Amino acid sequence: DAMVIQNPRYQVTQFGKPVTLSCSQTLNHNVMYWYQQKSSQAPKLLFHYYDKDFNNEADTPDNFQSRRPNTSFCFLDIRSPGLGDAAMYLCATSRGAGEVSNEQFFGPGTRLTVL
Amino acid sequence: GNSVTQMEGPVTLSEEAFLTINCTYTATGYPSLFWYVQYPGEGLQLLLKATKADDKGSNKGFEATYRKETTSFHLEKGSVQVSDSAVYFCAFHRNKLTFGTGTQLKVEL
């Protein structure tokens, strides 16, 4: 089945220690998104890639970076995690970015704990 | 600014009860509207959508009608099941997806 895969499902890191979260997709979608979802809050878009074009949300901290080496994979790098970065990180994909073609398919998420 | 407001949970119902989860939005124009569902331990799944005023989205017994007059997109189901227990997110798309904070539904036998 075509799907969005996130690894690992649970990640524990130490305060200030860089961490990378991984997302892959078999849908061959053009767009890949990263969301942050804190407990009992709405998912918040951090950034997205349309093919190789990176689009950062204005309020995404510089501590968060992303890489998309090819169509299938996208990584979220947190350079110096703080306690406030503990959250569920959701990866999603869509065929396009317009309103008609933008149905987003989500992975199961990676829950990040910062000690 | 753009936002989605949905009723706070948890909503606890008995099996076969009628469900309504209210959702209103604030946005320019007439964006596409969505309901996503998140089952325990899983990612978000699209439940239904409506792309223009008066459209009704439906799936798995759930329905929601795009009401531009009241900027609402309330989710309804006539008879809930235990397997419907999940968190439901209302969202709209205007340049990007904007979600509400989610409503947890618990259905008991």
Side-chain angles (χ1 to χ4, degrees):
Chain A
D1 286 343
M3 58 176 56
V4 182
I5 302 161
Q6 290 188 246
N7 287 307
R9 295 290 307 275
Y10 301 90
Q11 176 73 56
V12 179
T13 190
Q14 292 180 337
F15 182 95
K17 183 175 181 181
V19 66
T20 294
L21 308 183
S22 171
C23 177
S24 64
Q25 54 130 342
T26 60
L27 297 160
N28 202 33
H29 281 172
N30 295 314
V31 191
M32 295 187 76
Y33 308 80
W34 280 105
Y35 290 84
Q36 179 191 63
Q37 184 182 18
K38 295 188 176 180
S39 181
S40 302
Q41 295 185 22
K44 178 180 178 296
L45 182 64
L46 295 173
F47 27 58
H48 74 275
Y49 274 94
Y50 194 120
D51 290 332
K52 295 181 179 180
D53 292 334
F54 179 70
N55 298 272
N56 199 31
E57 292 298 301
D59 57 354
T60 298
D62 292 341
N63 198 26
F64 291 86
Q65 304 286 321
S66 186
R67 296 169 284 134
R68 188 177 186 187
N70 53 52
T71 300
S72 300
F73 284 88
C74 194
F75 301 99
L76 169 63
D77 301 309
I78 308 177
R79 294 191 298 187
S80 182
L83 297 179
D85 296 328
M88 176 75 83
Y89 289 88
L90 300 171
C91 175
T93 73
S94 66
R95 182 164 49 88
E99 288 203 21
V100 175
S101 61
N102 74 338
E103 178 180 339
Q104 294 188 20
F105 295 80
F106 284 81
T110 294
R111 183 166 296 284
L112 177 68
T113 300
V114 181
L115 301 177
Chain B
N2 295 340
S3 65
V4 177
T5 302
Q6 58 182 109
M7 60 191 291
E8 289 190 20
V11 173
T12 303
L13 296 174
S14 298
E15 201 169 42
E16 298 184 1
F18 184 85
L19 168 72
T20 299
I21 301 178
N22 291 335
C23 170
T24 57
Y25 66 91
T26 301
T28 56
Y30 303 109
S32 296
L33 303 176
F34 305 85
W35 277 100
Y36 280 84
V37 58
Q38 188 173 30
Y39 297 103
E42 299 183 15
L44 278 71
Q45 300 175 26
L46 179 64
L47 180 60
L48 54 83
K49 66 180 181 181
T51 57
K52 60 183 188 294
D54 299 326
D55 268 2
K56 177 185 285 187
S58 61
N59 186 26
K60 300 181 181 179
F62 291 90
E63 293 183 342
T65 301
Y66 192 141
R67 303 287 189 197
K68 67 176 183 179
E69 300 86 2
T70 53
T71 62
S72 64
F73 193 53
H74 305 321
L75 183 68
E76 297 182 334
K77 186 175 185 182
S79 176
V80 293
Q81 306 299 312
V82 171
S83 57
D84 293 327
S85 298
V87 180
Y88 292 81
F89 290 90
C90 185
F92 71 81
H93 188 274
R94 175 63 77 203
N95 299 320
K96 65 179 182 181
L97 265 183
T98 298
F99 289 92
T101 53
T103 301
Q104 184 178 13
L105 171 66
K106 297 180 181 178
V107 181
E108 301 172 336
L109 291 173

